[in-house]
């Protein structure tokens, strides 16, 4: 891991078009600004890990599970229509 030391107002550039700007340091928190192309996903680590876990779970869905969910949905839809 590359470790850099920066002061408030200084920046780090990644590649040609990603810039990380140190905006404020208060206690043990650092406020940063990130300028990156819209095509680059930027997430807090905890959010990124949650997305990865959800993608992993979604990839584990089998065709049988999808069929069962569709059958339940259709049953509920029919039940909902009978109450109108």
């Amino acid at each position: 891991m590359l470790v850099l030391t920066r002061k408030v107002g200084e920046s780090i550039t990644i590649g040609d078009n990603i810039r990380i700007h140190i905006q404020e340091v208060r206690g043990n928190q650092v406020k940063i600004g990130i300028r990156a192309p819209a095509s680059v996903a930027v997430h807090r680590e905890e959010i990124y890990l949650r997305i990865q876990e959800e993608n992993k779970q979604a990839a584990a869905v089998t065709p049988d599970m999808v069929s069962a969910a569709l059958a339940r949905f259709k049953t509920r839809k029919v039940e909902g229509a009978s109450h109108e």
Side-chain angles (χ1 to χ4, degrees):
M1 173 189 306
L2 173 64
V3 178
L4 301 171
T5 301
R6 302 277 60 203
K7 296 177 182 173
V8 172
E10 294 181 336
S11 298
I12 298 169
T13 300
I14 300 172
D16 292 331
N17 50 15
I18 298 174
R19 178 168 288 171
I20 300 171
H21 182 79
I22 308 303
Q23 295 186 326
E24 179 181 325
V25 176
R26 187 181 311 168
N28 62 354
Q29 289 188 320
V30 177
K31 185 175 184 179
I32 60 173
I34 301 169
R35 187 167 292 177
S39 61
V40 175
V42 178
H43 302 285
R44 293 184 183 108
E45 183 177 26
E46 62 272 19
I47 301 299
Y48 177 78
L49 293 174
R50 190 180 320 154
I51 291 169
Q52 292 299 309
E53 182 60 30
E54 289 174 3
N55 287 344
K56 187 176 167 184
Q57 290 176 3
V61 173
T62 65
D64 290 341
M65 294 167 76
V66 173
S67 295
L70 282 173
R72 282 195 307 264
F73 176 75
K74 289 177 182 175
T75 301
R76 287 183 184 169
K77 194 171 184 178
V78 171
E79 288 175 359
S82 66
H83 295 288
E84 293 179 2

